Amino acid sequence: MMEFGITIPLQRQLKIPAPFYGSERELCYCWELHGIVLQGGRALTAAGVRERLTPLEYLELDMRRLGIVK
């Protein structure tokens, strides 16, 4: 099961209350969602709580581990 945390700035921007946290014990399944500005527009990104990597960085690590890229 995955758990998504919504950062306080993103909660304020979306005008939503803090969600319930704490049911997932394994941090590799926990993600923080961040609102960012990308090329002048608003975007949403995620970061893994355990290593603080984005999904694309996790993909790159897996591709390196599998020998697809060096």
Side-chain angles (χ1 to χ4, degrees), residues 7 9-10 13-14 32-47 54:
T7 60
L10 184 58
Q13 181 181 354
L14 298 175
E32 286 184 350
L33 301 177
H34 299 270
I36 63 170
V37 175
L38 182 64
Q39 296 183 344
R42 294 180 0 187
L44 184 67
T45 189
T54 66

Side-chain angles (χ1 to χ4, degrees), residues 6 22 25 33 36-38 40 43 45 49 55 59 62 69:
I6 302 172
R25 296 179 193 262
L33 301 177
I36 63 170
V37 175
L38 182 64
T45 189
V49 173
L59 176 63
D62 281 343
V69 297

Side-chain angles (χ1 to χ4, degrees), residues 4-70:
F4 292 94
I6 302 172
T7 60
I8 292 172
L10 184 58
Q11 290 172 25
R12 289 181 186 144
Q13 181 181 354
L14 298 175
K15 297 180 175 97
I16 60 172
F20 173 76
Y21 297 120
S23 61
E24 183 56 56
R25 296 179 193 262
E26 184 60 47
L27 289 179
C28 69
Y29 298 114
C30 296
W31 296 85
E32 286 184 350
L33 301 177
H34 299 270
I36 63 170
V37 175
L38 182 64
Q39 296 183 344
R42 294 180 0 187
L44 184 67
T45 189
V49 173
R50 188 171 63 178
E51 286 96 4
R52 310 302 291 167
L53 299 174
T54 66
L56 288 177
E57 290 169 317
Y58 278 111
L59 176 63
E60 181 181 354
L61 285 176
D62 281 343
M63 291 175 72
R64 288 179 191 276
R65 183 179 54 83
L66 295 171
I68 298 170
V69 297
K70 293 185 180 200

